[in-house]
Amino acid sequence: MKKFRTPLAVLLVAAATTACSVSPAPAPPPSSTPVPAPATSTSAVPDQQDPRRHAPLVRTHAESAGISPQLLMAILYNESYKPHDPKLERAWQKIDPDAAFGVANMHKAAFDEAKQNRDFAARDWQELPDDAGLAVAAAAWHLHDLAAQLPKQRTDAYTSDELLALGYNAGASTMLACARGGKPNPQAQSYVDKIRANWQKAAEAIQPG
């Protein structure tokens, strides 16, 4: 839920620079025979950064928690701004102890609250980077708990799902304030704007098959 700070960007750029620091291959000799262009893949299989790969988990856990699978998928798209690699996440957590873990970028406090009296109550926050199913389940139940706090009378500036996204990103107090007509801070508003931008993509991603 919280973006990496500048030091991680530096680490990633440095890693990319190192990975690309190889000697250039010698140019091939001139040839009069045309070289065919490489074939373009038309595979519909999502890459390792695309939340679509978690669509079955999203559908299952959203149904169990009684929340919108489209909202849950949109949140995964919002949280896909960083590579969800277990080694990288743990390396960053050593620099920033308050870092978020897993494909849903969940902080420890939110995870510990969401797991209470749930099937994953015995699981630990440190397991999130290695277990996408646990991460998606925890996010779904966290949204469920936020939904239980929404007041019946609320402003029409945001949909219920947008208010839940605000709660997921900025906490229940911000969600409740906005439900009563308050204005979110720029970072929280940006999160809702991204939810809106990802909304249709999320609907397509959760379709079976």
Side-chain angles (χ1 to χ4, degrees), residues 104-124:
N105 276 355
M106 184 166 277
H107 291 278
K108 187 177 186 304
F111 176 80
D112 287 344
E113 288 180 8
K115 75 177 186 177
Q116 297 300 315
N117 301 315
R118 304 271 153 71
D119 290 345
F120 55 97
R123 304 292 296 274
D124 189 86

Side-chain angles (χ1 to χ4, degrees), residues 187-198:
Q187 181 178 344
Q189 181 60 52
S190 175
Y191 196 85
V192 174
D193 292 341
K194 289 177 183 175
I195 286 289
R196 291 169 176 168
N198 286 325

Side-chain angles (χ1 to χ4, degrees), residues 21-202:
S21 299
V22 296
S23 300
S31 170
S32 59
T33 304
V35 178
T40 301
S41 172
T42 58
S43 171
V45 177
D47 64 37
Q48 291 304 301
Q49 291 304 314
D50 192 331
R52 285 185 303 155
R53 71 193 189 278
H54 302 308
L57 294 172
V58 168
R59 291 192 296 268
T60 296
H61 292 299
E63 181 178 5
S64 296
I67 55 103
S68 163
Q70 188 173 0
L71 170 63
L72 183 54
M73 179 60 79
I75 283 176
L76 293 189
Y77 271 111
N78 270 35
E79 302 297 349
S80 66
Y81 63 85
K82 72 179 186 183
H84 293 294
D85 175 81
K87 290 182 179 179
L88 180 59
E89 289 193 14
R90 289 194 169 92
W92 179 249
Q93 199 256 344
K94 291 179 181 178
I95 299 172
D96 179 10
D98 190 42
F101 269 173
V103 296
N105 276 355
M106 184 166 277
H107 291 278
K108 187 177 186 304
F111 176 80
D112 287 344
E113 288 180 8
K115 75 177 186 177
Q116 297 300 315
N117 301 315
R118 304 271 153 71
D119 290 345
F120 55 97
R123 304 292 296 274
D124 189 86
W125 174 73
Q126 292 281 350
E127 299 176 65
L128 289 180
D130 305 294
D131 191 336
L134 177 61
V136 174
W141 284 104
H142 183 41
L143 289 167
H144 167 93
D145 293 343
L146 287 169
Q149 301 178 54
L150 280 176
K152 292 182 179 180
Q153 299 297 324
R154 49 185 180 263
T155 179
D156 59 1
Y158 298 99
T159 67
S160 295
D161 285 335
E162 288 170 353
L163 287 170
L164 293 179
L166 278 168
Y168 192 88
N169 174 253
S173 60
T174 295
M175 177 188 76
L176 294 174
C178 293
R180 298 185 180 104
K183 298 292 184 182
N185 64 38
Q187 181 178 344
Q189 181 60 52
S190 175
Y191 196 85
V192 174
D193 292 341
K194 289 177 183 175
I195 286 289
R196 291 169 176 168
N198 286 325
W199 198 244
Q200 183 57 38
K201 183 165 58 174

